[in-house]
Amino acid sequence: MKEIFRFLTMVFVCCCITATLTSCGDDDVTPDLSEAITIVKSDLLFEASGRTGSVEIQTREAFSVELESDWCVASVNGNVISVTVSDNTTFEGRTALLVIHAGEATRRLPVQQRGMALGSLPIHDRYVKNTGERFSLYVRHDLPVNFTIDEDWLHAEMVGDSMIVTADRNPYRYMRRGEIMFECGGYESTLSIAQYDKQYVLGAYFFAGTGAGGNTQGFRFNLREIDGEYYMNFYTTDAWRNINIPIDFDEDKCEITFHSGTIIYESGSSARDAFYFFQSDGTVVTWTSATMKARIYYNAFVGTHYATLEDGGTWGGEPLVGFIIYMTRSIVTTPIIQLLDPYILWIGEDSVED
C-alpha cells in the first residue's frame, strides 16, 4: 500500500512540473529590458545658471540618445552623456526628457532646472556726501549681475548677495549725479545717486518765472534745515518778514516739494497770505494735496545749482504750470505775484538773520 501511495505522489509531482514548464512556454512575457541600461551616476538637476551635467551608463549594446528641448542639448562621449543647459531667466522651473536607446531597451531620465531667484531690498535714489562713501545693498541672485555705470566716480561689484557701491570723493563744491544700472537674467533696476554737501545746496534761492507782463519776476527765499525739518524762509517783503514755511526736502533725490495752499503770513483772522498753484487752463488749485516738485541739478554754464518746478500730479485733467501768491485783507483778495513755468536758482549761502 505504501509503495502505491509513493508511486501516485511521484506521478502527481511530475505532472505539476510538466504543466508548469508547458505554461511558461505558452505565455508571451517580455522581460524588463531597461535593465540592459544601467545608470552608474546622474547629474541632471540644475540651478538657474547654465552649466553642463552628465549621465554615466553601462550597456552591452551600442546606444543612442534623444533630447527634444530648446534650452538644453545632449552629446555622447564613450559611455558618458553630457547635457548642457542654458540660463533659465524665468522664475518657473522647467523639465525636459532625456531618452536613451540600446537595442530594444529604453531608459527615460528627467532633466530638471530650477527657476531663477532674484530679489532685493527696495532700490531707490541715494544721497552720499562729498567726502565719498561705500555702502552695500542686498541683491539675492543666482545668475550673473551685470553693471552699466554712467559716471567714472561710481563703482559697483557683487560680493555674494551684496552689491558693494563706492562713490569717490567729490573735489568740487557743486552737486553731481550718477546712475548704476544693474541687470540679472534680463531684469533691470537703476540706482540713482546724488552726491553733494548740504551747505552748497541749502541757502539763498531766487524763485522766478514769467510774470503777467511777460517779464521775469520773482522773489528770494532761503532753503533751511531746522531740527531736521526743512523750511522755505522768505526774505523781508512788503507783506511779510522772515516767515518759515514747511516744505518737503528729499535728501536722496535732492528734491524740494512745494504744497499748494501754504500760508505765508497770518495775523488773526484779518490777514492771510498764501500761494497756490494754477493749471494750464488758468484754474487756481487751492487744495494742499496739489504739489510741485523741484529736483536740484548743477548747471555748469551758469555755475550754480538750479531746478525747474514740475507738476507733482494731474489736477482736474490739467497739469500744474505755475503758482500765484494771494494776499487777503478784509475779505479782499489780491494777487501779489503770479509766475508761469517757475524755477529756482541758488544765489548763495543763507545770509538773512533770524
Side-chain angles (χ1 to χ4, degrees):
M1 190 70 177
K2 290 182 179 179
E3 286 76 14
I4 296 173
F5 179 80
R6 184 180 297 113
F7 173 77
L8 293 175
T9 301
M10 292 179 61
V11 172
F12 174 79
V13 170
C14 290
C15 291
C16 289
I17 294 174
T18 303
T20 301
L21 293 175
T22 303
S23 174
C24 290
D26 293 341
D27 289 346
D28 185 14
V29 175
T30 302
D32 184 6
L33 295 178
S34 63
E35 295 181 356
I37 305 173
T38 302
I39 306 300
V40 178
K41 61 180 179 179
S42 176
D43 175 25
L44 296 181
L45 177 60
F46 300 90
E47 299 296 331
S49 56
R51 68 174 183 87
T52 299
S54 63
V55 179
E56 183 180 349
I57 69 171
Q58 286 183 351
T59 178
R60 295 184 296 272
E61 301 185 51
F63 69 92
S64 62
V65 298
E66 295 180 22
L67 181 59
E68 295 185 2
S69 172
D70 58 358
W71 54 270
C72 59
V73 294
S75 60
V76 176
N77 183 11
N79 65 332
V80 176
I81 305 167
S82 296
V83 177
T84 301
V85 303
S86 59
D87 290 346
N88 186 359
T89 57
T90 72
F91 296 107
E92 301 295 330
R94 54 190 181 183
T95 302
L97 199 61
L98 175 69
V99 182
I100 307 170
H101 300 284
E104 297 183 13
T106 299
R107 289 294 296 268
R108 294 175 175 84
L109 301 177
V111 180
Q112 297 174 300
Q113 186 178 28
R114 295 187 174 96
M116 68 175 290
L118 176 64
S120 66
L121 297 176
I123 303 297
H124 55 77
D125 297 338
R126 189 176 182 107
Y127 156 60
V128 298
K129 296 180 179 179
N130 274 353
T131 53
E133 192 171 336
R134 179 182 173 90
F135 59 91
S136 64
L137 299 171
Y138 173 78
V139 180
R140 168 74 176 92
H141 68 291
D142 55 6
L143 293 180
V145 176
N146 303 303
F147 295 101
T148 301
I149 305 174
D150 66 350
E151 297 289 345
D152 58 8
W153 53 270
L154 283 176
H155 317 277
E157 61 176 335
M158 292 302 305
V159 179
D161 284 336
S162 294
M163 185 172 77
I164 308 298
V165 178
T166 303
D168 295 339
R169 184 182 71 87
N170 184 2
Y172 310 105
R173 293 178 56 175
Y174 61 79
M175 178 254 279
R176 58 186 182 181
R177 295 180 181 274
E179 289 188 343
I180 298 176
M181 190 277 286
F182 56 98
E183 177 272 335
C184 180
Y187 295 87
E188 299 179 353
S189 187
T190 300
L191 171 66
S192 298
I193 295 177
Q195 186 179 35
Y196 62 96
D197 277 344
K198 288 183 185 177
Q199 62 178 319
Y200 303 129
V201 172
L202 302 181
Y205 281 85
F206 185 60
F207 200 151
T210 303
N215 298 321
T216 298
Q217 297 181 3
F219 56 89
R220 297 190 300 172
F221 75 94
N222 285 313
L223 176 60
R224 288 180 173 176
E225 180 183 10
I226 304 175
D227 297 330
E229 301 293 333
Y230 293 91
Y231 298 89
M232 184 179 186
N233 171 261
F234 284 93
Y235 282 38
T236 301
T237 70
D238 293 337
W240 55 78
R241 175 182 175 81
N242 206 24
I243 303 297
N244 287 327
I245 306 300
I247 60 173
D248 296 330
F249 180 65
D250 189 322
E251 290 183 346
D252 291 326
K253 296 179 180 180
C254 196
E255 181 180 83
I256 303 171
T257 300
F258 299 89
H259 295 268
S260 181
T262 303
I263 297 175
I264 297 172
Y265 179 76
E266 186 173 28
S267 177
S269 59
S270 62
R272 179 180 177 183
D273 305 336
F275 71 75
Y276 304 99
F277 299 120
F278 60 89
Q279 302 176 108
S280 56
D281 64 355
T283 303
V284 177
V285 177
T286 60
W287 51 85
T288 57
S289 57
T291 61
M292 291 189 79
K293 299 180 181 296
R295 180 167 294 192
I296 299 174
Y297 294 87
Y298 180 79
N299 188 314
F301 181 74
V302 297
T304 192
H305 294 97
Y306 82 100
T308 56
L309 271 70
E310 299 180 353
D311 186 6
T314 301
W315 310 96
E318 296 289 339
L320 302 177
V321 296
F323 76 94
I324 184 169
I325 297 178
Y326 282 121
M327 176 189 292
T328 301
R329 291 289 187 273
S330 301
I331 315 179
V332 177
T333 300
T334 305
I336 301 175
I337 192 168
Q338 179 173 326
L339 301 177
L340 181 67
D341 298 325
Y343 62 91
I344 62 173
L345 189 68
W346 193 82
I347 56 178
E349 296 181 6
D350 189 330
S351 60
V352 176
E353 296 181 359
D354 292 335

